[in-house]
Every structure is written in C-alpha cells, then in structure tokens.
Amino acid sequence: MSYLSSEDDVAPLLYCERPEWQDVTPISQYEAVSSPIAPIFYTPEYKDATNYFRGVVKTGETSERVLELTERIIRMNPAHYSAWQYRYRTLLATNAPLDVELKLMDQIAAHNMKTYQVWHHRRLLITQLTSASLAKDPVDTATAELEFIGNVLALDTKNYHTWSYRQWLLAHFDDAGLWLGELPYVDDLLLEDVRNNSAWHHRYFVVFGRGSRSQATPAEEGEVLQREIRYVKDKISVAPNNPSAWNYLRGILEYSNTPFSTLLPFTEPYTRAYVQPTDDVVDLDNPKPSSDATLPCVAALDFLAEAYVRAGGDGVGKAVELWKQLANEHDTMRKKYWEYRIKEALEGKTN
Amino acid sequence: MTSAIHPTPTDRYPTATSTLQARTEHDIQARLEAHKASPQEHTPDGPVLQRNAHLQFLLRNLVQGFPARYMSQDASQPWLFFWTLQGFSVLSVGLDEQTRQRSINTIMALQHPLGGFGGGPGQSPHLLPTYASVCALAIVGRNGDNGGWDQIDRKKMYDLFMSLKQPDGSFLVSHHGEVDVRGIYCLLTVATLLDILTPELVAGTPEFIASCQTYEGGFGSASFPDWALANDGQIQDASAPRPPLGEAHGGYTFCAAASWILLQPYVKTYYPAKGLPTPTINYAGLLRWLTQMQGLEIELGGFKGRTNKLVDGCYSWWVGGCVALVEGFLGIGKSAEGEGDDGADGEHAWADVDDSLFSRKALQEYVLIAGQHSAGGLVDKPPKPADAYHTLYCLSGLSAAQHHVVPSDDRRADLLKAWQDPTDSSGDLAAQVRKLAFVDTLCWKEDEGTAKYFGGATNRVNATHLLTNLTATHAEGMMAHFYNQTLPRKGAKA
Ligand SMILES: [Zn+2]
C-alpha cells in the first residue's frame, strides 16, 4: 500500500507539485475573509496538504489517494478530527483492509498518545473488524489490543484516553477470560506505584463496574468485597498518606453499603502519633502503619470522622472534634470545607 | 495554626508519583522565592497581576497570530479566538469596532452548511468549536446585518445536535466522533444561549451525566452504554450498570456539573409532570472531591485535575470555578445575609461559615505567583511557557476566586416578572423549560461587597458567569436577543 510508506519519504513533494493531483482544486482556508484574526503560521507542507484536503472534501472524493492525503495531515496534526473522520469514511467506502489500517495506527498511536482521535479511530476500527460481517475473532482481537494498550501505558501509566479506551474495550467484548487478566495487571502497576490513581480507578472498574452483571452469588460478592478491603488495607499500611487508596476504600464501602464504622479498628492507629508495638502479635486483618509513616494521616482523620458522623448519636461530637483538628491543624487548606462539614453535622444533616 | 510549610508526606515510600510531586513542590517554591525578590512582580501588598504583559500577549496572538507550534490547534481555531477574546473581557478590555467586525467575519467562516461550527473553515461541524464560536460571538457579535448573531443557522444547528444524539442520552462530538461530557457541556451551553433547548433534545441526558460520576465523587469522560441497551439500540434496562470510562477528572467534572445545572430547567419541569423519578447525583461526594483537589500550602493552593496528580493553572477554573458553581447552585453559604449572628458563640461560632468551601485566597496566590509568566501570558505551572489556553483558564480561575457569583433570588424574581411570552403557552412543558432556562441561567449575579482581591484591588479582574465562562453582560446580551426578552435593570437590592 503506497500510503504506508510515506513515513520513509524524507521530503515528499507538495501536492501542488504533483501531476497526479492536478485534477483537484485546492481551497485556501479563509477565501472569503480578508484579514482573519489570530492566524496560525502554518508550515508550507501543512498549508498545502490542508488546501487539498478542503478541495477533496468539497468534491466528496473517496479514494486511495485520499488515504494518503489524510495520513499526511494526521501525521502533521493528529488533532485534525475532520481528516480522521474523512479518512474513516474513505476506508469504508473503498473497502480498505482495516487490519492494515490498524497496523498503521499502532505506529501513529505510540507517538500521539494524548490525542483523542488516535484512540477513537482505533475504537471504530476494532468495532468494525469484529462485527459479524468481517468475523475476525473478537477475543483474539481484543487480546492483541490489550497487549498494545499495555505497551502504551508502560510509557505513560496515567494516560487518560488510553485508560478509558482499555475500559471500553473490556466492557465491549465482555469476555470472562479478558476480565481475568486485569487484576494481576492492576496489581503490577500498583506494586510499581501505589499512588497511581488511574490504576485504582481501573481496579474499581474491573471489580465493581459490572455490578450485577458479574453474576456472582451473594456469598461470592461478599468474598470479593472482603478480598478488596484486605487489599486496600495492605496498600494503605505501606504508604498511608495516599488519597487514591483511601478513596478506593470509601468507594467500595459505599458501593456495598458497608458501614464505615466497621473499619474503626483499622483506621484508628492512622489517626494518632506512631506507637511502637508492645508485643509481637501481628493483626493480619488490621495492618498497622510503620514507623516511616507521617502520622496522623489526614485521609484517615477524614475517614474516621465520616465513620463517626454516619454512625450518628455521640459520633457526631467525635466527628466534629476531628474536623476541628483538620481545619485548624492538619489540613488547613481545606479549613472552609471542614467547617462546612461541622456546620452541616450540627444542623443534623449527615451529608 | 501551623506556619511551617510541609511537603506532601511520602511515608518514606517514594514512587514515581511522589518523586514528581516533590519536584513540582520544589519548582513552585523556587518560583515563589524569585517572585518575592522581584519588586515589579511582588510589592509589600503581595503579588501583582501583570495586566499589561498579559494584554500584550493577548494582543500579539489576536493581531500577529500564533507561531507554527500552534498548528496542533488548527482544528481548534474557535478556541484560540474564544480564549483570546474572553481574556480581554476578563481583563475588562473592550475591542474596537473594526476588530470586532474582523472577529465576526472570521468566526462566521467556520459555520458549516450542515449547521454548527467547525474547527476551521471547511472543517466538519463539532460540538467543541461550536461552543467556542458561539461564545466568541457573544463577546464580539451583535444583532443585525453582519453582526454574527442573526447569521447563526439555529434550525440547522438543532438538526445537527439531534443527529449526534445517542440512545443513552449522550451526544457524539461530531459524526463518527467520540462521546464525552465536554461535548455535552458545549451543546447545552449553546442550546441555552441560543434558545434551542428542548425536552426532546435532552431526553435521557441527565441520566447519562449522572452515570459518569465515579466512586471518588468527580466525573469521568463518559460511561459505557451497551449493557443498558436492547438490540434495537434503545434503553431497555435503566438499572443496568453504566460504568464511567476513566477516573474522576477536573475538566470532565466541570463539564458534567455545569451540564447538570443547565439541565435543571428540564429536570424540574419534566420529571414531576411525567411522574418520573428525578435523577440524582452525589453532591456530598462531588463537594468532597472538588475541595480535595486544592493543593497544599507548599503548592500555593493551586488545583489538581485528578487525585495524586500535579497542580495546574487551568484547573483554577475547571475545579476552582466548579466549586464556586456547585456551592452557588446548592445555596451553600447563602444563609450569611439572612441569619447574621444570633449571639454566635461556642459551637455556634463554627456555623459562621465564610462564603466558599475552598481557599479563595490561596487560589489567587497560585495564579498570581505560579501562574503568571514574566514575559506575559499565564501557564500550567513553572517553568512552563505561557499559552492561550492556560492564559484564559488561569484568569477565569482568578476571577472565580475573587468574586462571589451566585444565583440571586431578587434577580430571579425580576427576570420572572419581566418575562414575556406572547404565545402565552404556560401550560406547555417546552415553554416552561424555555422560561426556566432563561431565568435560571441569568439569575447568577455577583454578591455585592464580597469580592476579595489578594495583593490588592489593583489585581481585580472581571466577574465571570460561572455556567458559560462569559461575563454576565455578554451572556445577558446574547440571551436577551435570542429569547426576545427585555432585561430588567439591575437595581439595588429590593
Ligand atoms: Zn493545564
């Protein structure tokens, strides 16, 4: 395919210099506007290619050379959504082999991870490739895709578009085998960086995002919840001042309607100065902070106060005391927020 | 009060995240030191807004244009216009007649024959450039010939919007494009400004927005729809999980929260009338997440866009502005005028909550010290270069931190009283939605006497209408035109 080789061309000719493009009338951008505001200083190559693009769009041509043209524009500006859109239409109209297109995208995506269109185009291709008529094996395709995504995430572990694409892919194919690989994957990422919030979100998506569709029995659901609570407690004990882990804990308790107060024995040691253990007994259910931890931990105080206020009764007074500590000592930047919580609680709103 | 500035605790367990965080804290503190040592930038009163340098930056972009590295924004040209023009508005600078006309002509070249606006002439219609174009026209446009406003093809725009609608209540940003809450915010803002918000257009949209809220309390980019859909593509199982795609994020959270508020005229009218359960979001979780995004003192109280990520000047608006928006919407702090001090003492003194849930002072400090580039324009964080995007959103964030803009009951009453509907179709749900869209959007007003200027009143920037990120004057002018209403004068308090 000719359009695959364009990357090797060091200085491709301008379209206006190419005889095979003579039949297209280029359209310059602001034909009717004499002095547009805020103009961009384009390179000659970009101006040339986009002039021909406007010309092609005007006649509605869909052909192989349009694929070459749109690729060239996309390589210069991957955010050119119209070029992507027109390219996709052209691929469909010309019955172009989409697996070839996907290979090209592997290359382009690796250089342009932060562009929406790069990921969205993949999603369109994968959807088409695995639709009934083309009958490419969905699970094989998705497996290969997960591997590709993994390679990209290895370079940028918090890339938003890549993560949301991974989540879409898993839900779209919804295959038990695919889901199975995700927890070990998240585990590796959290071992590498326990503060990676994207990985925590993904864990939540994988474990709880399917809700009732996971078809677990209530007993199994209970086991999963206990497993996750143990998991996040361990992660908190390693680095307590990690809002990602505490948010995950709060999230799964809320999801399962588990009272925060069931975590009091675990939380309390994180809300005080460090205490040297007096014996060798290790409570596996409630791992304690190490002497390296900065205590008290703000997220733990926040959690404890939440547990108290939700329990009601004399818990409200205890929560208020903790919020005062946060407002005046441990988290002064959020003073107004903690004071708001106090006001709401004293007015009887549990929030 | 603690006076020592503490770094973010790492529990002696460094990871890539904490290392990057520590480096950023160092850079910000270094900038603070340099700032304090520069008499032009820092007076005994505090940091100085380099108004002139920023105006020069905006003027250069508007008149001379953008260097080749902005080629990546070729499909976002209306954004370059909006960021620049609104930058002037926030800095209280009007433009001359000729520049306004040039601006109108440029923007109108982006309107697509199918309706809506593209990222540049000849580019496909897309919700994001449509918002930026319409908002830019609110600033520079006018009614009448060549004024831009009457050249907007609202019928075609509405048809375009409907053609982008998805069964789960969401919208594609363009044909064959992606779904995300940014596009929906853009669509709802435009529909509200141009009086094309109908129950048909937004059916299912509140539920979609609600489905994007994550366990953290903020919102992700979109949600996964298919499990709720039947084979015919329509919503079949409303209780099926629609998990959010992507973690809670400042930009998406602003767009989702503002969308939610823009949808209330529809929600308040339609659901009770049809006997439907009103969709909800978790406000407490949202407020907690939003306030958690404010960085520590060592980060000068700038905002982050996600948990465990770095502060960035643009989140001054997306998150700082969102706190102001949501607390205004919920009426938090509103009691201040009415209640007064009824012998406030003991526990009751705590009830004397100030007018915001975040530190307005600290956010101003971040923008003024870490956000300003000494050569003009504003930035993500030091030592990054200035760009058009961060320039506007730092300034808008500064505005949200200085001014207290809230829905005013008095203004609301005045607007309702002045409302005119010659068709007198008050029994009609669509007409009620339309009226509420006008009134609820325009009743946001600065709470007089509550502005606070860190570094002194010379740092004042204009107040911003939090739903649209226009000034109130521009939002009012455009809406009065399209809704064919005469605005009541803004008098002193009744
Ligand atoms: Zn930014």
Side-chain angles (χ1 to χ4, degrees), chain B residues 251-335:
Chain B
Y252 296 119
T253 300
F254 177 91
C255 291
S259 294
W260 184 255
I261 297 170
L262 288 165
L263 284 164
Q264 291 311 302
Y266 165 68
V267 170
K268 283 192 292 191
T269 307
Y270 191 81
Y271 287 78
K274 298 279 172 185
L276 295 170
T278 308
T280 53
I281 60 168
N282 179 354
Y283 290 116
L286 173 59
L287 286 174
R288 177 177 176 273
W289 183 84
L290 287 168
T291 50
Q292 292 278 330
M293 289 300 109
Q294 190 160 26
L296 302 179
E297 216 176 328
I298 196 167
E299 297 156 282
L300 300 178
F303 275 89
K304 303 165 192 250
R306 307 186 229 168
T307 305
N308 273 335
K309 291 272 281 180
L310 304 172
V311 290
D312 173 344
C314 65
Y315 297 117
S316 305
W317 171 253
W318 299 124
V319 185
C322 193
V323 187
L325 178 67
V326 174
E327 66 189 8
F329 171 69
L330 294 176
I332 292 169
K334 199 180 173 191
S335 53

Side-chain angles (χ1 to χ4, degrees), chain A residues 29-30 35 38-39 41-42 46 81 85 116 120 158 160 167 193 195 198 241 244 247 294 302 334 351, chain B residues 10-11 13 15 17 62 66 74 77 102 119 124 175-176 216 246-247 252 284 288 291 294 306 308 350:
Chain A
Q29 185 165 233
Y30 285 99
S35 53
F41 287 89
Y42 303 106
Y46 188 82
Y81 67 89
Q85 183 192 62
Y116 279 87
H120 183 66
K158 298 178 183 179
Y160 200 93
Q167 284 147 20
D193 186 349
R195 301 181 178 94
S198 303
N241 288 283
S244 295
N247 283 355
T294 303
D302 178 16
R334 261 158 289 283
N351 211 299
Chain B
T10 59
D11 303 312
Y13 190 83
T15 63
T17 297
L62 185 73
F66 291 95
D74 181 39
Q77 293 177 49
R102 274 178 59 205
S124 309
H175 293 126
H176 298 302
E216 291 196 275
E247 75 207 85
Y252 296 119
R288 177 177 176 273
T291 50
Q294 190 160 26
R306 307 186 229 168
N308 273 335
W350 284 101

Side-chain angles (χ1 to χ4, degrees), chain A residues 148-329:
Chain A
F148 174 77
I149 297 168
N151 292 337
V152 175
L153 286 176
L155 302 172
D156 179 2
T157 56
K158 298 178 183 179
N159 185 295
Y160 200 93
H161 307 309
T162 318
W163 275 113
S164 44
Y165 177 58
R166 188 180 188 103
Q167 284 147 20
W168 171 81
L169 191 87
L170 287 161
H172 178 73
F173 290 101
D174 199 17
D175 173 81
L178 292 178
W179 287 110
L180 217 54
E182 291 305 287
L183 274 194
Y185 176 63
V186 170
D187 225 358
D188 284 348
L189 287 175
L190 290 177
L191 274 175
E192 199 183 299
D193 186 349
V194 73
R195 301 181 178 94
N196 181 346
N197 199 59
S198 303
W200 282 105
H201 174 86
H202 192 61
R203 190 173 186 97
Y204 188 94
F205 182 86
V206 170
V207 179
F208 301 99
R210 275 173 293 168
S212 51
R213 288 180 60 90
S214 65
Q215 293 184 333
T217 63
E220 286 166 343
E221 273 182 15
E223 262 172 49
V224 167
L225 179 68
Q226 289 314 312
R227 181 194 75 201
E228 290 305 302
I229 290 175
R230 273 198 307 278
Y231 183 85
V232 66
K233 281 175 172 175
D234 280 342
K235 294 295 182 196
I236 287 173
S237 73
V238 168
N241 288 283
N242 176 9
S244 295
W246 287 98
N247 283 355
Y248 184 77
L249 176 60
R250 298 167 73 109
I252 66 178
L253 295 179
E254 282 188 340
Y255 174 86
S256 58
N257 288 316
T258 309
F260 281 29
S261 55
T262 56
L263 272 286
L264 286 183
F266 167 74
T267 311
E268 273 165 345
Y270 294 86
T271 62
R272 296 191 287 256
Y274 178 72
V275 180
Q276 191 74 39
T278 50
D279 52 33
D280 295 336
V281 182
V282 178
D283 180 356
L284 285 176
D285 273 341
N286 294 304
K288 291 199 165 50
S290 79
S291 58
D292 285 335
T294 303
L295 297 175
C297 161
V298 166
L301 291 167
D302 178 16
F303 184 94
L304 190 62
E306 197 75 57
Y308 280 142
V309 76
R310 289 186 189 202
D314 61 358
V316 176
K318 289 180 183 172
V320 168
E321 279 313 306
L322 290 168
W323 283 326
K324 283 184 185 175
Q325 283 180 35
L326 285 164
N328 297 325
E329 194 178 345

